[in-house]
Amino acid sequence: AQRVTQPEKLLSVFKGAPVELKCNYSYSGSPELFWYVQYSRQRLQLLLRHISRESIKGFTADLNKGETSFHLKKPFAQEEDSAMYYCALSDYNFGNEKLTFGTGTRLTIIP
Amino acid sequence: ETGVTQSPTHLIKTRGQQVTLRCSSQSGHNTVSWYQQALGQGPQFIFQYYREEENGRGNFPPRFSGLQFPNYSSELNVNALELDDSALYLCASSYQTQLRIQYFGAGTRLSVL
């Protein structure tokens, strides 16, 4: 069975400092990994997905199959980055899409 | 383009009752997934509907059931409510050929007393 682990429930970082939110997964097939974000009083929304290999709002994430990790990084934190971040794994089987989420990390940027 | 809408936003029920939650998909989307998010946890997959049929189910008992209508809107029904059913219920819609991109509603907060 697939599993997503986010070891930090809370993370506080000073503005301008680098940010790294950790995500590890277990999955027997070829995973597709995502980061979803929930800003205060907003709905859950997709931040980025590993196959896109793009940077969104300065965030990047690299899939490391050897370490089964998909850590989210940003070189310089901004106050508007404060939010709840969820790592998720896609289990696509016969046209059925299922997302398995981690427990989330609440990121607080200290001004 | 309208987003995913869910109703009601909040609901209070007592143990043993039944509840129906509703979801309208984002325009153009034909697939709906439901998730349960308990306090302090990530969303957990309940089931998915495509073309009005259940298209995959998570580890939830049969008292959790759903429907999808021809206009792709959906309902989540929970019978014989238990205290542990208290959670935020999220609906997400997607287009079948782009399943990996799911768009979430704001959720329905269910409290079971």
Side-chain angles (χ1 to χ4, degrees), chain A residues 9 32 34 36 38 43-46 49 51 86 90 92 94-104, chain B residues 3-5 33 35 37 40-43 45 48 55-58 90 96 99-102 104-106:
Chain A
K9 273 202 170 305
E32 183 164 0
F34 303 81
Y36 278 81
Q38 187 166 26
R43 61 190 61 193
L44 197 61
Q45 59 186 282
L46 178 66
R49 47 197 294 217
I51 64 168
Y86 293 95
S90 165
Y92 183 77
F94 302 113
N96 164 351
E97 173 75 6
K98 169 186 172 180
L99 285 173
T100 299
F101 285 86
T103 52
Chain B
V4 179
T5 57
S33 303
Y35 293 82
Q37 187 174 18
Q41 301 297 315
F45 178 75
Q48 183 179 91
N55 186 39
R57 189 178 185 93
L90 297 170
Q96 182 67 6
L99 280 176
R100 288 168 173 79
I101 303 175
Q102 298 192 17
F104 284 82

Side-chain angles (χ1 to χ4, degrees), chain B residues 25-32 48-52 68-69 71-73 93-99:
Chain B
S25 301
Q26 182 162 314
S27 178
H29 287 180
N30 56 14
T31 302
V32 172
Q48 183 179 91
Y49 277 81
Y50 170 63
R51 289 187 174 176
E52 303 175 52
Q68 187 183 30
F69 300 100
N71 66 354
Y72 306 128
S73 65
S93 73
S94 54
Y95 190 68
Q96 182 67 6
T97 59
Q98 300 174 19
L99 280 176

Side-chain angles (χ1 to χ4, degrees), chain B residues 66-81:
Chain B
L67 284 172
Q68 187 183 30
F69 300 100
N71 66 354
Y72 306 128
S73 65
S74 176
E75 286 182 357
L76 164 65
N77 298 289
V78 187
N79 293 321
L81 283 167

Side-chain angles (χ1 to χ4, degrees), chain A residues 67-109:
Chain A
E67 295 183 359
T68 60
S69 68
F70 187 57
H71 303 326
L72 184 67
K73 300 177 183 179
K74 183 170 182 176
F76 307 104
Q78 298 173 283
E79 287 184 63
E80 54 265 34
D81 296 330
S82 292
M84 193 75 182
Y85 290 81
Y86 293 95
C87 183
L89 180 152
S90 165
D91 180 5
Y92 183 77
N93 186 22
F94 302 113
N96 164 351
E97 173 75 6
K98 169 186 172 180
L99 285 173
T100 299
F101 285 86
T103 52
T105 298
R106 181 168 297 283
L107 175 64
T108 301
I109 305 303

